[in-house]
Amino acid sequence: MLLQWNKYAHKLADKGQKILESLMTINDPVLRGTTIIYELPNEGSKIEFESAKHDLLGHLRGKLHNYDIDIEVIVNEAVENKFAFTPQDKYNRLNEINPNLDLLRKTFDLDF
């Protein structure tokens, strides 16, 4: 699910919809059963996200072959953006997204 979520966000960026793309990459969604729980930092973000939710649901339902999926948006004023400043922070964030990155680093004996 997370892979398709990120692919859709990148597709939005390619179309020039940078605001929606940034809203989708603020944090990772949580899957509970067939409901995707997504936290946003304020009501304005929620309204913007809700406007594109239908297309996102269509994409996820089609790619995951699961038409019971729904998205619940929660506003959490305490949500903070995760910024990666150091190379180690960047590596850790990318490794969260794709754990195979560590295998690649070890296979080719790479540094950060």
Side-chain angles (χ1 to χ4, degrees):
M1 182 272 304
L2 187 56
L3 176 66
Q4 290 302 322
W5 182 277
N6 289 326
K7 281 184 179 183
Y8 189 79
H10 292 300
K11 189 168 96 172
L12 289 174
D14 293 342
K15 289 182 179 179
Q17 297 178 350
K18 299 288 186 180
I19 294 173
L20 288 174
E21 186 256 346
S22 67
L23 288 176
M24 289 185 66
T25 55
I26 287 175
N27 59 29
D28 292 334
V30 176
L31 184 62
R32 290 192 189 132
T34 59
T35 302
I36 299 169
I37 309 295
Y38 194 62
E39 289 186 2
L40 289 171
N42 56 49
E43 279 296 324
S45 298
K46 179 180 179 180
I47 292 168
E48 186 74 27
F49 184 83
E50 293 280 343
S51 69
K53 185 169 111 173
H54 180 73
D55 293 335
L56 173 59
L57 272 173
H59 173 82
L60 292 174
R61 287 174 176 167
K63 294 292 183 179
L64 300 175
H65 305 291
N66 184 344
Y67 294 91
D68 295 330
I69 293 175
D70 197 18
I71 298 175
E72 180 182 334
V73 180
I74 298 172
V75 175
N76 183 354
E77 299 288 338
V79 171
E80 296 178 16
N81 290 339
K82 297 183 218 173
F83 291 106
F85 294 109
T86 67
Q88 179 69 43
D89 292 340
K90 292 176 185 176
Y91 173 77
N92 290 340
R93 177 66 181 137
L94 289 173
N95 200 35
E96 286 175 14
I97 295 170
N98 187 352
N100 290 330
L101 183 65
D102 194 46
L103 176 65
L104 179 72
R105 185 185 64 82
K106 288 177 182 174
T107 301
F108 293 104
D109 194 30
L110 301 173
D111 292 331
F112 312 119

